[in-house]
């Protein structure tokens, strides 16, 4: 169902399937699981406060199917993000402590490109999380957990924001190219890693969120007339550090549980290229196609290419991948030399993850 | 009527017969199934200026059969012909390393690619053990701009076990003139269209 046409209250827009296992891979029945549909802009936090969460329990086979029933404000936030809902899932241990978390996106719209992209999202099918096994005194611990989880309200809230430039594309020109351009937007199209940690643990990958809000203008790298140009296109995004708090009956209130994550929140625009930061990979004949004088070539979307450590907000490195929708475009117009090569790293330029140019 | 052929049974048999005929007509009419067998293919657009009478060659795809399959190419359906374009598919097995066609007029090819190594598409069979197959087209025409808006590659798998259509969202525009400079001028409107393509 397209959320654009949906009523404010009605059937669920998507179902998030969750499976909780113990450390030995056995199903964990009755595990407490918190799900949260995340806001998609800083303005959402300022207008509506913290994102809304719901606590559930897994069934006898350790599974849970959570229908995403969006209220009016959540629906508007998801619509502004191109019909992508970003969702956090947290599992609590037998003592009521958050022990495992994941973040994913569900596409609720009707565009086939985006539906295909959604199938490659982290945790696209079932979110599998591990809850360490309770050993001795299971009954006591579980009743403690029941008490902890039922007497406290758990919620994510924004702790800090950060504006950072993240890589969203690249452009390569060797020579005799009259026009070359990599365009991103005016609707964003990037899936960012989400990194999470609990207590003193190291940051670890917890999934991804998809950013697809629209701005007035696109950003681009333009290399017409240049030679030996191998630039990354970076654009600015807002990132958020989220912390998991709890309010308990009789206190404490807004008590930080130790869990946190860092994720992209929204594209804020502005393009910035970094000089010759990239290297052109060597040219394989089988991935190379020649183009004659004054020819032109355009590709209006691309297979997802992932840039590791594309951005580091809050000293945490996040990878990013862009390019599945027609919001990303690459163009070449060649000069008068008789042959110009376009080549890819994983195939011909029409199917490759990355596109390079070489003029013999 | 007593016995096996009473009125109800005859009516039921008639209904089943009609249903079978309708199903058969449907199966015959629906044609090959859509697929992404050789994909995913991204929307691309190539434009090539050339002088009148100088054919243009455009590379389309590299084809590889999937494990356990023998693929037989049946035909290439050209969609959205513009101008008076005549689009002729051509294929060859490529032994790596070998250059493949991009978008180039015959007069610019030099000796880089031997056009005599290409053959007709229909009837070419290949399996995973064979060298990859390069699919390209030869475009000829006389109108200032001619070409196509998309392609459908029709093929069968394992001797007709399945007949499949793979849509290739590729556009090609050839611009002609009596001189190359005139051909480049013919391409100006296409240049503007390509810059707004997709966004």
């Amino acid at each position: 169902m397209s959320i654009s046409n949906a009523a404010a209250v009605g059937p669920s827009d998507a179902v998030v399937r969750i499976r909780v296992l113990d450390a030995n891979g056995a199903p964990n029945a009755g595990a407490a699981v918190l799900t949260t549909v995340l806001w998609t802009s800083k303005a959402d936090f300022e207008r509506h406060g913290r994102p809304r969460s719901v606590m559930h329990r897994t069934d006898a086979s350790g599974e849970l199917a959570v229908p995403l029933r969006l209220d009016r404000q959540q629906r508007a936030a998801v619509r502004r993000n191109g019909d992508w809902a970003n969702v956090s899932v947290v599992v609590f241990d037998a003592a009521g402590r958050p022990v495992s978390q994941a973040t994913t996106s569900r596409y609720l719209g009707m565009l086939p490109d985006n539906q295909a992209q959604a199938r490659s999202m982290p945790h696209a099918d079932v979110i599998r999380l591990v809850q360490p096994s309770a050993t001795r005194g299971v009954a006591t611990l579980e009743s403690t957990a029941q008490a902890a989880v039922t007497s406290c309200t758990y919620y994510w809230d924004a702790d800090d924001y950060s504006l950072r430039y993240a890589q969203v594309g690249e452009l390569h020109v060797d020579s005799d190219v009259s026009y070359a351009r990599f365009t991103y937007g005016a609707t964003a199209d990037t899936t960012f890693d989400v990194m999470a940690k609990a207590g003193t643990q190291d940051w670890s990958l917890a999934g991804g969120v998809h950013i697809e809000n629209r701005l007035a203008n696109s950003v681009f790298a333009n290399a017409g007339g240049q030679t030996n140009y191998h630039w990354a296109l970076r654009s600015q995004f807002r990132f958020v550090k989220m912390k998991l708090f709890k309010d308990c009956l009789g206190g404490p209130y807004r008590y930080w549980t130790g869990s946190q994550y860092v994720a992209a929140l929204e594209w804020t625009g502005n393009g910035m290229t970094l000089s010759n930061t990239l290297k052109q990979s060597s040219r394989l004949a089988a991935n190379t196609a020649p183009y004659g004088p004054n020819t032109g070539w355009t590709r209006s979307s691309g297979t997802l290419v992932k840039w590791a450590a594309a951005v580091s907000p809050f000293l945490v490195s996040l990878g990013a991948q862009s390019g599945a929708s027609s919001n990303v475009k690459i163009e070449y117009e060649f000069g008068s030399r008789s042959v110009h090569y376009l080549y890819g790293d994983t195939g011909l330029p029409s199917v490759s993850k990355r596109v390079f140019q070489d003029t013999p | 009527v007593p016995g096996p052929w009473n009125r109800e049974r005859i009516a039921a048999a008639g209904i089943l017969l009609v249903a079978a005929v309708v199903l058969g007509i449907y199966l015959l009419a629906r044609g090959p199934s859509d697929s992404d067998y050789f994909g995913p293919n991204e929307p691309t657009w190539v434009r090539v200026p050339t002088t009148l009478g100088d054919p243009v060659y455009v590379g389309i795809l590299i084809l590889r059969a999937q494990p356990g399959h023998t693929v037989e190419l049946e035909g290439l359906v050209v969609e959205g012909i513009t101008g008076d374009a005549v689009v002729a598919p051509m294929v060859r097995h490529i032994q790596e390393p070998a250059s493949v066609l991009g978008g180039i007029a015959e007069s610019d090819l030099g000796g880089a690619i031997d056009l005599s190594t290409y053959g007709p598409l229909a009837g070419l069979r290949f399996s995973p053990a064979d060298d990859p197959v390069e699919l390209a087209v030869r475009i000829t025409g006389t109108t200032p701009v001619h070409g196509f808006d998309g392609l459908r590659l029709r093929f069968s798998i394992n001797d007709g076990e399945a007949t499949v259509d793979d849509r290739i969202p590729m556009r090609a525009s050839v611009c002609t003139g009596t001189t190359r400079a005139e051909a480049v001028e013919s391409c100006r409107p296409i240049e503007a269209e390509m810059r707004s393509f997709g966004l």
Side-chain angles (χ1 to χ4, degrees), chain A residues 106-128:
Chain A
R106 293 289 182 269
Y107 178 63
L108 309 183
M110 300 297 286
L111 299 176
D113 278 356
N114 285 3
Q115 288 168 344
Q117 191 174 357
R119 290 193 283 275
S120 64
M121 279 296 301
H123 310 294
D125 183 17
V126 177
I127 300 173
R128 290 178 174 78

Side-chain angles (χ1 to χ4, degrees), chain A:
Chain A
M1 175 171 60
S2 168
I3 64 158
S4 305
N5 300 322
V9 177
S12 66
D13 293 300
V15 173
V16 175
R17 299 187 185 284
I18 300 157
R19 187 147 199 250
V20 181
L21 306 171
D22 67 18
N24 299 316
N28 209 327
V33 178
L34 186 78
T35 61
T36 308
V37 177
L38 304 170
W39 293 130
T40 61
S41 70
K42 185 179 178 186
D44 287 326
F45 283 94
E46 291 168 348
R47 283 187 207 125
H48 312 309
R50 66 199 190 211
R52 286 135 210 175
S53 302
V54 183
M55 188 69 83
H56 313 265
R57 285 197 178 273
T58 55
D59 63 16
S61 52
E63 294 177 354
L64 186 61
V66 180
L68 294 181
R69 290 198 172 85
L70 306 180
D71 62 27
R72 187 183 301 273
Q73 291 162 346
Q74 289 172 319
R75 198 176 299 280
V78 170
R79 193 179 300 129
R80 280 193 301 275
N81 196 40
D83 287 351
W84 288 86
N86 294 327
V87 180
S88 159
V89 177
V90 182
V91 171
F92 295 82
D93 72 2
R97 293 173 303 212
V99 287
S100 185
Q101 60 170 295
T103 309
T104 189
S105 291
R106 293 289 182 269
Y107 178 63
L108 309 183
M110 300 297 286
L111 299 176
D113 278 356
N114 285 3
Q115 288 168 344
Q117 191 174 357
R119 290 193 283 275
S120 64
M121 279 296 301
H123 310 294
D125 183 17
V126 177
I127 300 173
R128 290 178 174 78
L129 290 169
V130 173
Q131 181 201 51
S133 301
T135 50
R136 294 171 189 276
V138 173
T140 311
L141 279 172
E142 284 191 350
S143 32
T144 308
Q146 294 270 6
V149 169
T150 51
S151 64
C152 300
T153 301
Y154 292 80
Y155 55 92
W156 289 105
D157 206 355
D159 179 64
D160 199 3
Y161 300 96
S162 174
L163 290 170
R164 286 285 183 276
Y165 281 89
Q167 183 171 351
V168 292
E170 62 183 326
L171 184 60
H172 298 267
V173 167
D174 178 23
S175 64
D176 196 39
V177 174
S178 56
Y179 179 86
R181 183 168 161 129
F182 182 100
T183 307
Y184 181 91
T187 301
D189 172 33
T190 299
T191 296
F192 285 97
D193 289 342
V194 173
M195 299 292 280
K197 70 179 290 190
T200 56
Q201 294 172 2
D202 290 334
W203 289 98
S204 63
L205 186 65
V209 292
H210 191 79
I211 303 300
E212 199 168 306
N213 59 299
R214 184 172 179 80
L215 298 177
N217 296 303
S218 58
V219 296
F220 56 86
N222 199 340
Q226 310 233 20
T227 57
N228 197 26
Y229 177 109
H230 308 285
W231 289 29
L233 174 65
R234 304 175 85 86
S235 191
Q236 192 184 60
F237 291 79
R238 178 173 284 115
F239 295 83
V240 63
K241 182 192 280 185
M242 299 286 286
K243 288 186 172 178
L244 183 65
F245 296 96
K246 64 178 179 182
D247 292 344
C248 298
L249 283 174
Y253 302 104
R254 200 173 170 79
Y255 180 81
W256 180 37
T257 62
S259 284
Q260 56 187 319
Y261 72 82
V262 171
L265 188 58
E266 59 189 317
W267 180 42
T268 53
N270 301 319
M272 180 181 76
T273 51
L274 291 184
S275 171
N276 286 333
T277 55
L278 303 176
K279 287 189 175 171
Q280 180 141 299
S281 69
S282 55
R283 182 166 64 81
L284 289 176
N287 294 342
T288 302
Y291 292 83
N294 307 112
T295 52
W297 181 88
T298 291
R299 182 168 126 179
S300 72
S301 69
T303 311
L304 288 170
V305 53
K306 179 145 187 172
W307 295 278
V311 62
S312 298
F314 308 108
L315 303 176
V316 180
S317 289
L318 309 180
Q321 55 185 11
S322 304
S325 78
S326 58
N327 306 324
V328 175
K329 179 180 175 184
I330 185 165
E331 303 166 83
Y332 286 96
E333 292 174 10
F334 299 113
S336 58
R337 298 270 293 267
S338 61
V339 173
H340 312 79
Y341 291 129
L342 288 178
Y343 67 97
D345 62 336
T346 56
L348 287 174
S350 56
V351 297
S352 176
K353 284 182 180 287
R354 304 173 70 190
V355 176
F356 305 102
Q357 196 274 319
D358 183 26
T359 303

Side-chain angles (χ1 to χ4, degrees), chain B residues 49 144-145 175-177 179-191:
Chain B
V145 178
C175 315
T176 58
T179 62
R180 184 60 67 92
E182 202 177 297
V184 170
E185 281 310 306
S186 298
C187 263
R188 293 290 178 217
I190 301 297
E191 187 180 305

